[in-house]
Amino acid sequence: MQISAQIVTYTLKRPFTISRGSRTQAEVIQVTIEKDGKKGLGECSPTGRYGESFDSVLAQIDSVKGKAFDRSQLKTLLPAGAARNALDCALWDLESENFPDGFSLPARIQTAMTVSIATPQEMADEAKAYVEQGATLIKVKLNGDEVFERLSAVRAAAPDTLLIVDANEAWGNLDIEATIQQIAPLNIAMVEQPLPAAEDEALRQISSSIPLCADESCHTADDVESLAGKYQMVNIKLDKTGGLTAAFELEQAARAKGMQVMVGCMLGSSIAMRAALPVAATAVLVDLDGAFLISDDIQGGLHYQNGHIVL
């Protein structure tokens, strides 16, 4: 088994801004595993928020070169995170014919289109453009400023779409319960990670009419027990779980606790988005527009049409 890895940079169609900063490019690591004359591809996005760098992730990938392992053994070699994700998904790509009996993907999967943080008018303009392209689900990135004003502008521009909100841990200085009450009339379907992961115990005391979803607080199946009672949903991202293998485990653990499942992504190409489709097929919400946001996706990438991934 031969493993190679390289850093690839994609250009974003427009600046992408969340509470932690703004980007105009998406840098990823792509991994190729060659075995028995076949190649499998995987992709990951190292995330500084989780203590990762491109050097550290490449070092983890290098540490398993020359070793023979399957997906189960990989879990004992590397911790959950970006490096294991790229390798695990490359192995799944090699073994795509080995999905469980009866498994199939639907012809179309609705995906969120992401509006990043800007002025209320700029966010409304971006939402309107998505609606004109057929979007039916819009994810609104917010920080702790002008929450109601920004959401109101997006709602006015996209009156018939399902709106979900992603605070990326930025509402620590807000009265969460009062903020949720204020935005509830805008018909928000879900609020994602309002508080920093280290402070989200306070959510147990919150009375929220809008479901709350764990993102930064939820990485693997081991986290689910502590999330119950604080969140009603988890956002599964392969870069957090360490690949599709562990993503299936997280999905099962969350459902066993009565929690709903969302599937999300980092910025990247269709290699990364396609790897998450098996979990997205049964998720209540899907946010896999990462490849749509870049201007130079891979050849033969996913087809986005009218707010859906068309397979």
Side-chain angles (χ1 to χ4, degrees):
M1 185 165 64
Q2 294 184 321
I3 300 171
S4 60
Q6 62 176 340
I7 296 175
V8 178
T9 301
Y10 294 104
T11 301
L12 300 180
K13 293 175 181 175
R14 60 186 298 165
F16 184 79
T17 303
I18 67 171
S19 64
R20 286 192 286 270
S22 184
R23 303 166 63 181
T24 58
Q25 293 181 320
E27 272 194 316
V28 302
I29 294 175
Q30 290 178 353
V31 167
T32 301
I33 296 179
E34 298 184 51
K35 183 180 180 183
D36 300 329
K38 296 194 298 183
K39 291 184 179 181
L41 296 176
E43 181 179 291
C44 67
S45 298
T47 304
R49 167 66 181 80
Y50 305 133
E52 297 175 331
S53 68
F54 281 82
D55 287 342
S56 70
V57 171
L58 287 170
Q60 286 184 318
I61 294 169
D62 284 343
S63 73
V64 300
K65 288 182 178 179
K67 298 179 180 179
F69 54 85
D70 58 20
R71 288 182 290 105
S72 177
Q73 293 164 332
L74 177 60
K75 289 184 64 177
T76 69
L77 297 175
L78 292 177
R84 199 174 83 195
N85 172 36
L87 291 162
D88 180 82
C89 289
L91 288 172
W92 273 107
D93 193 32
L94 274 174
E95 307 162 2
S96 57
E97 69 276 8
N98 293 330
F99 278 104
D101 291 342
F103 176 85
S104 63
L105 293 174
R108 296 165 61 87
I109 296 177
Q110 182 191 44
T111 181
M113 294 294 163
T114 303
V115 172
S116 62
I117 300 172
T119 67
Q121 186 58 55
E122 289 170 330
M123 294 176 74
D125 291 343
E126 187 173 9
K128 182 179 179 182
Y130 283 140
V131 170
E132 291 173 347
Q133 296 167 23
T136 54
L137 173 62
I138 292 178
K139 182 173 185 176
V140 185
K141 293 285 190 178
L142 293 172
N143 54 23
D145 300 322
E146 297 184 293
V147 170
F148 184 75
E149 292 79 5
R150 285 167 164 156
L151 272 178
S152 294
V154 171
R155 172 50 78 200
D160 299 320
T161 61
L162 192 65
L163 293 187
I164 55 179
V165 170
D166 188 0
N168 283 119
E169 304 182 285
W171 288 6
N173 293 325
L174 300 181
D175 183 325
I176 302 296
E177 194 163 334
T179 299
I180 289 173
Q181 289 175 352
Q182 183 184 37
I183 67 175
L186 298 175
N187 193 22
I188 307 301
M190 177 272 284
V191 173
E192 189 176 345
Q193 198 70 43
L195 292 177
E199 301 172 15
D200 69 357
E201 190 63 26
L203 296 178
R204 292 191 191 278
Q205 312 306 319
I206 298 296
S207 176
S208 176
S209 60
I210 302 175
L212 303 180
C213 178
D215 182 3
E216 285 86 350
S217 291
C218 180
H219 292 245
T220 70
D222 292 340
D223 297 319
V224 170
E225 187 70 32
S226 66
L227 300 175
K230 295 186 289 188
Y231 300 95
Q232 293 74 51
M233 184 182 298
V234 298
N235 188 351
I236 299 176
K237 293 179 179 176
L238 272 58
D239 273 311
K240 295 185 301 176
T241 63
L244 182 59
T245 303
F248 281 133
E249 296 172 357
L250 173 53
E251 176 191 23
Q252 293 173 359
R255 294 189 189 283
K257 279 291 183 181
M259 303 174 78
Q260 293 184 311
V261 168
M262 173 184 180
V263 174
C265 66
M266 309 300 187
L267 292 171
S269 78
S270 286
I271 295 172
M273 306 307 121
R274 188 177 283 125
L277 291 177
V279 182
T282 57
V284 67
L285 291 172
V286 175
D287 176 24
L288 292 179
D289 66 340
F292 181 82
L293 299 176
I294 63 177
S295 61
D296 46 354
D297 194 17
I298 61 168
Q299 185 175 4
L302 292 173
H303 179 50
Y304 291 83
Q305 183 181 53
N306 296 328
H308 290 74
I309 299 171
V310 181
L311 304 174

